[in-house]
Structure formats: C-alpha cells, structure tokens
Amino acid sequence: MSTLPQLAINTIRTLSMEGVERANSGHPGTAMALAPAMYAVWQHDLKYDPADPCWPARDRFVLSVGHASMLLYSTLFLTGVKDIRDGKVVDAPSLTAEDLAQFRQLNSKTPGHPEYRFTAGVETTTGPLGQGCGNSVGMAIAQKWMSARYDRPGFKLFDYHVTVFCGDGDMMEGVASEAASTAGHLALGNLTWIYDSNQISIEGSTDLAFTENVGKRFEAYGWHVQTLTDGNDVDAILAALKAARAVTDRPSMIVLKTVIGYGAPKKAGTASAHGEPLGAEEIKGAKQAYGWPEDAPDFFVPEGVKEHFAEGLGKRGAEAHAEWRELFSAYREAHPELAAEIDCILEHRLPEGWDKDIPTFDADAKGIASRASSGQVLNAVAKNLPWMIGGSADLTPSTKTDIKGGGSFQPEKWNGSYGGRNLHFGVREHAMGSICNGIALSGIRAYGSGFLIFSDYMKAPIRLSAIMELPVLYIFTHDSIGVGEDGPTHQPIEQLAQLRATPGIMTIRPSDANEVAEAWRTLIPMTHKPAVLALSRQNLPTIDRTKYASAAGLAKGGYVLASCEGKPDVILIASGSEVGLVVAAYEKLTEEGIQARVVSMPSFDLFEEQSQEYRDSVLPPDVIGRVAVEQAAAFGWDRYVGIGGAIIAMNTFGASAPASALLTKFGFTPEAVFDAAKRQALRGK
C-alpha cells in the first residue's frame, strides 16, 4: 500500500486511541483493528457525499459495534462530513478536532455510542449490540420498497446499498440472528455485513462462550459469505466488497479476521484493549509501530490526509450526487405526483386528506373489539398514506393489521414483490422492532404489531425508537386479562406501566371504536415520536356519544366522559375496556343520588402534556374521592387518585379461565367499582 492510504488508516487509529485516552473511558481496540476496513469502505466503496449527509440516495453505513464510536467520529472528521442543524445541511463540519477531544463529555457531539440526530453522519443510534444489525435490515427493506414504488424506466432514484460493521457481540445477540434470518428470506442483496471476528469480548477470549462457525450459520440463512484472514489487507477487503455488491439476490457477509488493539505492544489481541483506555505507554508503543512522529501532538492530522479523502470519497460522492439531482429534476417533470410523495417522505409531511376516510362508529351495546376497529381505521388511513407499511410477528389475523390489497413485501420467488406494504416478520418480535426503526429512519411510516405481553421481547427497539424520536407505531392487542383461557403467560400486567414509564413514547389505550379512530387521528401527525396502541381482544361497547362526551377528548389524553351537575363527590377514572365498567357504576351511583364523574384516561402521556388548568378541570384538586380501574398493574395510577384513593387493578399475575370468570375473580365488576366509589364518595363529603 502506498504511503498516503496507510497514513490515512493510521490517522483514524491514532485519533480513536487519543479520544478514548483523553476521556479516560471507552473502547479503543476495535477502532484500531477496523481502521483499514473503515478506510476501504469510506474511501473506495460508499456512494456518499460528505457535503450532504441527508442525500436520500446515499449509501448507508451502520456501526452496529457502537462501542467503537471513535472509529466513526474520526472518519466523519477526516472525510469532512457537513453538519445538520434544524434538519438542514449547513456549511460547517459535523465534527472538529475539538469535538474529538470532548469524547464522552457532557453536551459533546461525540457521545460514548453514536446517537442519531446528535451527530451528522450517524445513521442510527447504536450501542445495545445487535440493534444496528436489525436497523440495517429495515434500511435495506426501505431501499427496496422506495425503488419499487418510485423508480421508473430511465429513473433509478433509489439504488443505495447498506453496509454494516458488526462484531462478536452482535453475533451472539438474538436480535441480530432474527434480523439476519429475515434478510436471508427476503433476499436483500443490497445489504453487506462486515463481521469483525477478533474473538475478544469483555470477559476475554470468545472461546469462553462462543465457538460456533458464524459463516456457516449465515450460509444456512441464505447469505453470501466470504472470509478474509487479514484485517489489514485493504486490497482483499475491496475485492470482497466488490464481490458482495455483485451478488444481488442475497445479502452478503464478510468475515474479517482482525487483531483487536492492533499495534499496541502488550495489549493487542487482549481483552484489555476492548473496553478501557490503552494508557500512555501502550499508545506510545502503538504510534511507534505505525511510524507516527514522536513529537506529534494529540489529534494530529498529517498533511494530505484530509485532501486524500476529499479526492476519493468527496469527489466521487459529489459527482454521484450532482447526477442524482439532475435525474430527480427530470423525474419531477415526468412524474410530478410521485415526486410530491417523495418530498413528503423526505420532509416528514403528511399528504393532504390523509384522515378523510377515518370512520365514525355508531353507538352499539354489543360493540367491537378495539383491535378490529383499529384494523378498519388503519386501512382508512393507509388508503391515503401510501408510504405507511408494516406487519406483525406472525399475528396479523389476530392483530388485524393487514393492509387490504397492499400485497406482501416478499421477493418474487415467495409470491410477493418489493412494493408490497404488508411485512411478514415471522415470530421475531425483537427483530421486528429494530427493523421498523430502520425503515422509519428512511422516512417511511412503519408499524409493527403483536400481543401486548410480547412487547417484552421488543423493549430495546421501542426504547431506541423513543431515543431517536422515530414515529414507529406499535400496535399491541390482547391488552388485558380479557385474553382469558391463554392464562398468565399471555395476560399482560406490568407492560402498560413499563411503556408509560419510558420517556418519549405516546401510549394510548382506547375505550371504544371512536376513541380508536381519534387515537389514529392523534398519533399519525406525530412525526417525531413513537406511539403504542393497546387494544382489546374482546368486544367493547361503542359508547353513545349523543349521551356522553365526544371521543375527540382523547387528543388531550384524559377527558370528562360523563359528570353530575356541580362538584362531584367521587371521580371514576379508567382506560380501555374498563371505561365501560365505570360507566355502568356511574349510572348506578347517579340513580342513588351520588354526585359522580367519569373520566376516560386513554393516555397518561397526552394528559400530562396538557396545561395544569385543563388537568385540574378534569380532576379537580378539591375532589379527593377517586377510584381508578384498570386490568393491569396499579403502578402509576396513584398520581391521579392521590393518597387514600382507591385503585382496582391487578396485584398478581392472571389465571387461565374464561374472561368472565377472571373479571369476577379479580374484582372487575360493576358491583365492586360501585362499592369502592360509595366509600370514596364519603371521603368527599
């Protein structure tokens, strides 16, 4: 290799080492090992314009080994990636040498793990191992879908590739396996994972726990697999990348054998190079091995390195981007309606009239399960929001999340097309969440569905949706002990409390079909926040809105559904299926002359966003008699009933029995609510 490429590689290494050392915290070894591969990918393989990291046709690079974040930060700095502010590219660098020196410090642009929205050039938030792998499958799905819907003869707008750096930890995590299996089935030939096989984890050699042949496993998934034995051989890496791109009918894995902490005299190849600073002596020895100037200051960039990247990646990316802009300009003239859709996707705007077909439901004592009414609303929205796609973890018939006439997202050999809107995730909840995040990162509105109890399998990606402010919709059905005979393993108890406790997620549990409609009307415009719909398996009476308040109150999270004249003695509060229960108790209280109020509380999150004045109008502070009813853990309801208020909730797991028997066993009856309300009313006297 000529001097300048090797100098560029060693600059990535030294910047990464020094950032970790300055912070006295971090993971230097993987960055040192992967610098040659990083150089090969960015300088010679990526179609990427550093002057515009938002360019929609750019190749995506995902650092799933997020602990090696200094590897990415050093590269973004050296390649001159521009910054993004308020969603717009500005003429300033994403990162400076000063930013590298502030690695892992408060309010820095170089946090310990890469964070989407904080550092321009970071495509997704990674850190929890395996999540970046799952995200990349979603990105690859998004590319296939965008190409199928919008590309036209002579206009190949969306042909980008997704490249991932992953490691031994990713390969051990189940989510990466789920995602890889999905990608193999879908024949995603636009996806390449480079697996850094350094065989070191925090505890030591991976031989302690991980001795399988990963390449053979991926071949079984249907991937194209290549193995390289020298992580420093840039020419071999480039040849493997070229071969991977040439294989278009399946995803590719490059197994890359590397030495963690390469160049460090004593720590290379050891666990101590993984998760702690090298120390001054090891850094000095590594720099000597790299032929680094002994008197060079920290964060030194040799002359010609930045220019080298500008002549390679920068020039190639600028030319490709200019060609694309010209192509899209012609496309806009030839296909103005499709171009307008693309504009909406890229600008996170909704199409005009997206909600015009959302139905209104007539009062009905028999009612309809909220999962079923949600299915109707979903299809009404999908008809006018063509870039909404999603599916379930093998539960579409139960979650009612099929887009009618939308087709299946599948390769032709599985009787579908890449333009299909219905995704079949299989029984892979964890991957479903991370894949939905990857899809959403491309601007497409993604949803995933399953039973509420199995949100447990999706906690990590749901949390990351919130951290990244991605508008993924999680549709969870079978939301209570009303599931019945399936028993405690399938009856959610603590899940609602967990979701409500997660910052940045909008959790909504509607009480009837019209609240479901209003929930969709409320959550779809939230373009920077994930939402959870908790829906019933069993029928819920459709409340007579000529007698009770409009379901439009859902938009405020909690609202007065029914109330006496004047000050109530007791307030009954509930969400979801239990609202019908407290309405029945309210009617009986009213017959007995007890001043009562019913508050439907479908969303703690929305309610807490309202003004104190509004919240006090719904729950007057001077009314201390209160009863909250929910077939879930009581946790959280104390904020609304106060000290001494009553909470009828689940304090144990459920049981296997018909739903009607369970409601009686656990005290969810009109009589139980009525008795609790009478006792609470006395407190208000």
Side-chain angles (χ1 to χ4, degrees), residues 6 20 56 67 91 103 112 140-141 144 160 204 237 269 271 282 319 345 390 398 422 438 459-460 527 532 575 584 653:
Q6 188 62 59
V20 172
H67 54 271
D91 188 20
F103 180 54
I141 288 172
K144 291 288 190 184
Y160 56 85
I237 294 170
E282 283 293 293
E319 290 173 352
I345 291 172
S398 291
N422 292 296
K459 178 64 172 75
T527 58
V532 169
S575 78
F653 294 112

Side-chain angles (χ1 to χ4, degrees), residues 76-101:
L76 295 177
F77 165 61
L78 292 173
T79 56
V81 171
K82 295 293 187 183
D83 203 6
I84 301 170
R85 297 172 190 167
D86 299 322
K88 303 293 184 183
V89 178
V90 297
D91 188 20
S94 170
L95 294 174
T96 64
E98 290 74 21
D99 292 318
L100 301 186

Side-chain angles (χ1 to χ4, degrees), residues 340-353:
E341 283 191 13
I342 294 171
D343 289 340
C344 283
I345 291 172
L346 300 180
E347 296 168 10
H348 306 289
R349 291 188 288 110
L350 294 171
E352 197 74 30

